Amino acid sequence: QMLSGSLSHDNQVGVELLSMVSEIYTYVISAQVKYCKMDMKHPFLEQTYLNIAIFNRSMKKFADSLQMWKLLEGLQREMYGDDSYNLLFTLKNIGTCFLGVGNSDKAREYFEQCIELLENCKTTKPEIVKKDKEEVSSLNQNLYLTFVSDRNYIAALEASEKVVNIMSELYGPRSKRLSSKYYQKANSLLNLRRREEAIENILMAISIFENPDPGPVEGESSAVLVPAQ
């Protein structure tokens, strides 16, 4: 009973603290908007939008978070242009929030914008090339989730195959990171009634999980990264 009471008290304190933080952010943005003479795209507001958006997303308040990310998107497009790499984090989070509120079409639209942005911002620096490949893999993983939400298992399978291919290139074909991705492929194949292929992928997932290959040294790719032309 003492432990239960202590946990209940801690939870209450946590709720009150989060409520206080939310009230502080509400006051801060109101004061700053007034300071910026109601100019919602004033550069001064960039960090505030970002902080509030991240806070609300961490609380799984996706609708509230989405509102801030959209304000941040408008401001950043004005500041940096539509093709700036600075937009990537914002666009990805907008897609995540749309997925969180159940709008898979809009989520997919933003994830695809991110992939297009990465294509347009190619670099020749190997460490950035690797990071961008990891980002494309993550974005295809998010696309997979939107397709599963829509029960579009053909597209979900294509997205999961892209993830497997990219991760195999980066970390090696038997990296433990790939085990769950083969399960995802199997799930789509089962829903498409492709039972034998699904079993093959399940067995691959189990095999990798039980006997993974360490793959490349952390920070390296399993393939030679050819600089973009």
Side-chain angles (χ1 to χ4, degrees):
Q1 288 181 343
M2 289 179 64
L3 178 60
S4 175
S6 175
L7 290 173
S8 176
H9 177 264
D10 289 346
N11 288 338
Q12 182 63 31
V13 170
V15 169
E16 290 176 358
L17 178 61
L18 291 172
S19 177
M20 187 185 305
V21 172
S22 182
E23 289 177 9
I24 290 171
Y25 274 136
T26 300
Y27 169 78
V28 167
I29 193 169
S30 175
Q32 289 188 350
V33 167
K34 289 179 182 177
Y35 174 80
C36 297
K37 299 180 179 179
M38 307 306 290
D39 179 5
M40 303 300 285
K41 293 183 179 180
H42 194 289
F44 184 70
L45 294 169
E46 182 179 20
Q47 191 62 49
T48 303
Y49 289 158
L50 179 63
N51 291 341
I52 297 174
I54 291 174
F55 172 75
N56 284 329
R57 188 199 61 193
S58 70
M59 298 298 296
K60 299 192 183 301
K61 296 167 65 175
F62 294 112
D64 292 340
S65 182
L66 180 59
Q67 182 182 9
M68 287 295 110
W69 287 117
K70 288 292 291 177
L71 286 171
L72 183 60
E73 178 194 6
L75 184 155
Q76 289 181 329
R77 287 188 185 277
E78 188 112 334
M79 287 176 63
Y80 308 119
D82 293 335
D83 297 322
S84 172
Y85 196 89
N86 291 316
L87 283 166
L88 182 64
F89 184 69
T90 300
L91 297 180
K92 186 176 181 181
N93 275 283
I94 291 174
T96 300
C97 288
F98 271 125
L99 195 57
V101 299
N103 192 334
S104 55
D105 286 339
K106 291 296 290 185
R108 191 156 47 246
E109 176 186 323
Y110 273 87
F111 294 143
E112 288 172 346
Q113 280 187 47
C114 289
I115 293 174
E116 183 179 352
L117 182 63
L118 286 167
E119 283 291 318
N120 294 335
C121 296
K122 282 185 177 179
T123 177
T124 58
K125 296 180 179 179
E127 66 277 12
I128 304 299
V129 171
K130 179 179 182 292
K131 182 181 176 182
D132 286 352
K133 283 180 178 287
E134 290 174 332
E135 194 64 63
V136 171
S137 175
S138 173
L139 289 163
N140 275 289
Q141 173 65 28
N142 290 347
L143 285 172
Y144 164 84
L145 296 174
T146 70
F147 291 129
V148 169
S149 177
D150 291 345
R151 300 183 184 276
N152 183 350
Y153 296 111
I154 293 176
L157 177 60
E158 292 175 356
S160 62
E161 286 175 338
K162 289 178 182 178
V163 174
V164 167
N165 290 338
I166 295 171
M167 293 185 73
S168 295
E169 177 188 349
L170 290 172
Y171 309 117
R174 292 190 61 83
S175 167
K176 202 164 189 175
R177 303 175 192 230
L178 282 160
S179 182
S180 64
K181 308 309 174 186
Y182 278 107
Y183 275 119
Q184 289 181 343
K185 278 187 65 179
N187 179 65
S188 295
L189 288 163
L190 282 171
N191 280 287
L192 293 169
R193 306 291 191 269
R194 291 161 62 175
R195 184 172 177 274
E196 291 185 4
E197 293 173 79
I199 291 173
E200 288 177 7
N201 280 271
I202 290 172
L203 292 175
M204 177 63 80
I206 294 171
S207 173
I208 291 174
F209 183 80
E210 292 181 343
N211 186 29
D213 187 287
V217 176
E218 188 67 28
E220 295 181 357
S221 170
S222 64
V224 176
L225 297 178
V226 180
Q229 300 297 318

Short mmCIF file of all heavy atoms in Angstrom, two decimals, residues 123-144:
data_model
loop_
_atom_site.label_atom_id
_atom_site.label_comp_id
_atom_site.label_asym_id
_atom_site.label_seq_id
_atom_site.Cartn_x
_atom_site.Cartn_y
_atom_site.Cartn_z
N THR A 123 25.20 14.51 -51.66
CA THR A 123 26.52 15.01 -51.31
C THR A 123 27.57 13.96 -51.68
O THR A 123 27.23 12.80 -51.92
CB THR A 123 26.60 15.31 -49.80
OG1 THR A 123 27.92 15.74 -49.49
CG2 THR A 123 26.28 14.07 -48.99
N THR A 124 28.83 14.37 -51.71
CA THR A 124 29.91 13.43 -52.02
C THR A 124 30.65 12.98 -50.76
O THR A 124 31.53 12.13 -50.84
CB THR A 124 30.93 14.09 -52.98
OG1 THR A 124 31.45 15.28 -52.37
CG2 THR A 124 30.28 14.43 -54.30
N LYS A 125 30.28 13.54 -49.60
CA LYS A 125 30.95 13.17 -48.35
C LYS A 125 30.45 11.81 -47.88
O LYS A 125 29.25 11.65 -47.60
CB LYS A 125 30.68 14.22 -47.28
CG LYS A 125 31.25 15.59 -47.60
CD LYS A 125 30.95 16.60 -46.49
CE LYS A 125 31.55 17.97 -46.82
NZ LYS A 125 31.23 18.96 -45.76
N PRO A 126 31.35 10.81 -47.78
CA PRO A 126 30.93 9.45 -47.44
C PRO A 126 30.11 9.35 -46.17
O PRO A 126 29.13 8.60 -46.12
CB PRO A 126 32.27 8.70 -47.30
CG PRO A 126 33.22 9.46 -48.15
CD PRO A 126 32.81 10.89 -48.03
N GLU A 127 30.48 10.10 -45.11
CA GLU A 127 29.76 10.00 -43.85
C GLU A 127 28.33 10.53 -43.99
O GLU A 127 27.39 10.02 -43.35
CB GLU A 127 30.49 10.74 -42.72
CG GLU A 127 30.59 12.25 -42.86
CD GLU A 127 31.73 12.73 -43.75
OE1 GLU A 127 32.34 11.88 -44.46
OE2 GLU A 127 32.02 13.93 -43.73
N ILE A 128 28.15 11.55 -44.85
CA ILE A 128 26.80 12.09 -45.08
C ILE A 128 26.01 11.15 -45.99
O ILE A 128 24.79 10.98 -45.80
CB ILE A 128 26.87 13.51 -45.70
CG1 ILE A 128 27.70 14.44 -44.80
CG2 ILE A 128 25.48 14.07 -45.90
CD1 ILE A 128 27.12 14.61 -43.41
N VAL A 129 26.69 10.55 -46.95
CA VAL A 129 26.02 9.59 -47.84
C VAL A 129 25.43 8.45 -47.01
O VAL A 129 24.28 8.04 -47.22
CB VAL A 129 27.01 9.03 -48.89
CG1 VAL A 129 26.38 7.88 -49.67
CG2 VAL A 129 27.44 10.14 -49.85
N LYS A 130 26.22 7.94 -46.07
CA LYS A 130 25.74 6.85 -45.21
C LYS A 130 24.55 7.30 -44.37
O LYS A 130 23.53 6.60 -44.27
CB LYS A 130 26.86 6.36 -44.30
CG LYS A 130 26.43 5.24 -43.35
CD LYS A 130 27.58 4.77 -42.49
CE LYS A 130 27.15 3.61 -41.59
NZ LYS A 130 26.20 4.03 -40.55
N LYS A 131 24.66 8.48 -43.79
CA LYS A 131 23.58 9.01 -42.97
C LYS A 131 22.30 9.17 -43.79
O LYS A 131 21.19 8.86 -43.31
CB LYS A 131 23.99 10.36 -42.37
CG LYS A 131 22.94 10.99 -41.46
CD LYS A 131 23.43 12.33 -40.93
CE LYS A 131 22.34 13.00 -40.10
NZ LYS A 131 22.78 14.35 -39.62
N ASP A 132 22.44 9.66 -45.03
CA ASP A 132 21.27 9.84 -45.89
C ASP A 132 20.63 8.51 -46.26
O ASP A 132 19.40 8.38 -46.34
CB ASP A 132 21.65 10.61 -47.15
CG ASP A 132 21.88 12.09 -46.88
OD1 ASP A 132 21.60 12.54 -45.74
OD2 ASP A 132 22.34 12.80 -47.79
N LYS A 133 21.47 7.49 -46.50
CA LYS A 133 20.94 6.15 -46.79
C LYS A 133 20.15 5.61 -45.60
O LYS A 133 19.09 4.99 -45.76
CB LYS A 133 22.08 5.19 -47.17
CG LYS A 133 22.61 5.37 -48.58
CD LYS A 133 23.74 4.38 -48.85
CE LYS A 133 24.25 4.52 -50.29
NZ LYS A 133 23.30 3.98 -51.26
N GLU A 134 20.68 5.84 -44.41
CA GLU A 134 19.96 5.42 -43.19
C GLU A 134 18.62 6.15 -43.09
O GLU A 134 17.60 5.56 -42.69
CB GLU A 134 20.81 5.71 -41.96
CG GLU A 134 22.02 4.81 -41.84
CD GLU A 134 22.95 5.21 -40.70
OE1 GLU A 134 22.98 6.41 -40.35
OE2 GLU A 134 23.63 4.32 -40.17
N GLU A 135 18.63 7.42 -43.47
CA GLU A 135 17.40 8.22 -43.41
C GLU A 135 16.37 7.70 -44.42
O GLU A 135 15.18 7.59 -44.11
CB GLU A 135 17.71 9.68 -43.68
CG GLU A 135 16.59 10.64 -43.33
CD GLU A 135 16.27 10.66 -41.85
OE1 GLU A 135 17.14 11.03 -41.05
OE2 GLU A 135 15.13 10.27 -41.50
N VAL A 136 16.83 7.36 -45.63
CA VAL A 136 15.93 6.81 -46.65
C VAL A 136 15.34 5.49 -46.17
O VAL A 136 14.15 5.20 -46.38
CB VAL A 136 16.65 6.63 -48.00
CG1 VAL A 136 15.78 5.87 -48.99
CG2 VAL A 136 17.03 7.99 -48.58
N SER A 137 16.16 4.67 -45.52
CA SER A 137 15.68 3.41 -44.96
C SER A 137 14.59 3.67 -43.92
O SER A 137 13.53 3.03 -43.92
CB SER A 137 16.84 2.64 -44.32
OG SER A 137 16.37 1.47 -43.68
N SER A 138 14.83 4.62 -43.03
CA SER A 138 13.85 4.98 -42.01
C SER A 138 12.55 5.50 -42.62
O SER A 138 11.46 5.16 -42.17
CB SER A 138 14.45 6.04 -41.08
OG SER A 138 13.49 6.54 -40.18
N LEU A 139 12.68 6.30 -43.67
CA LEU A 139 11.49 6.85 -44.33
C LEU A 139 10.69 5.76 -45.03
O LEU A 139 9.45 5.77 -45.01
CB LEU A 139 11.91 7.93 -45.33
CG LEU A 139 12.41 9.23 -44.68
CD1 LEU A 139 13.19 10.07 -45.67
CD2 LEU A 139 11.24 10.03 -44.12
N ASN A 140 11.38 4.80 -45.63
CA ASN A 140 10.66 3.67 -46.25
C ASN A 140 9.99 2.80 -45.19
O ASN A 140 8.92 2.24 -45.43
CB ASN A 140 11.61 2.84 -47.11
CG ASN A 140 11.76 3.40 -48.51
OD1 ASN A 140 10.83 3.33 -49.32
ND2 ASN A 140 12.91 3.98 -48.81
N GLN A 141 10.61 2.72 -44.01
CA GLN A 141 9.96 2.03 -42.90
C GLN A 141 8.65 2.73 -42.53
O GLN A 141 7.63 2.10 -42.28
CB GLN A 141 10.90 1.98 -41.70
CG GLN A 141 10.29 1.44 -40.42
CD GLN A 141 9.89 -0.02 -40.51
OE1 GLN A 141 10.48 -0.78 -41.27
NE2 GLN A 141 8.89 -0.41 -39.74
N ASN A 142 8.69 4.06 -42.49
CA ASN A 142 7.48 4.82 -42.20
C ASN A 142 6.43 4.66 -43.29
O ASN A 142 5.23 4.57 -43.01
CB ASN A 142 7.82 6.30 -42.02
CG ASN A 142 8.60 6.57 -40.75
OD1 ASN A 142 8.70 5.72 -39.87
ND2 ASN A 142 9.17 7.76 -40.64
N LEU A 143 6.89 4.62 -44.54
CA LEU A 143 5.96 4.39 -45.65
C LEU A 143 5.30 3.02 -45.51
O LEU A 143 4.10 2.86 -45.76
CB LEU A 143 6.68 4.49 -46.99
CG LEU A 143 7.04 5.91 -47.45
CD1 LEU A 143 7.93 5.86 -48.68
CD2 LEU A 143 5.78 6.72 -47.75
N TYR A 144 6.09 2.04 -45.10
CA TYR A 144 5.55 0.70 -44.86
C TYR A 144 4.38 0.77 -43.87
O TYR A 144 3.33 0.16 -44.08
CB TYR A 144 6.67 -0.21 -44.32
CG TYR A 144 6.18 -1.48 -43.68
CD1 TYR A 144 5.89 -2.60 -44.44
CD2 TYR A 144 6.02 -1.57 -42.29
CE1 TYR A 144 5.44 -3.78 -43.85
CE2 TYR A 144 5.57 -2.73 -41.69
CZ TYR A 144 5.28 -3.84 -42.48
OH TYR A 144 4.83 -5.00 -41.89
#
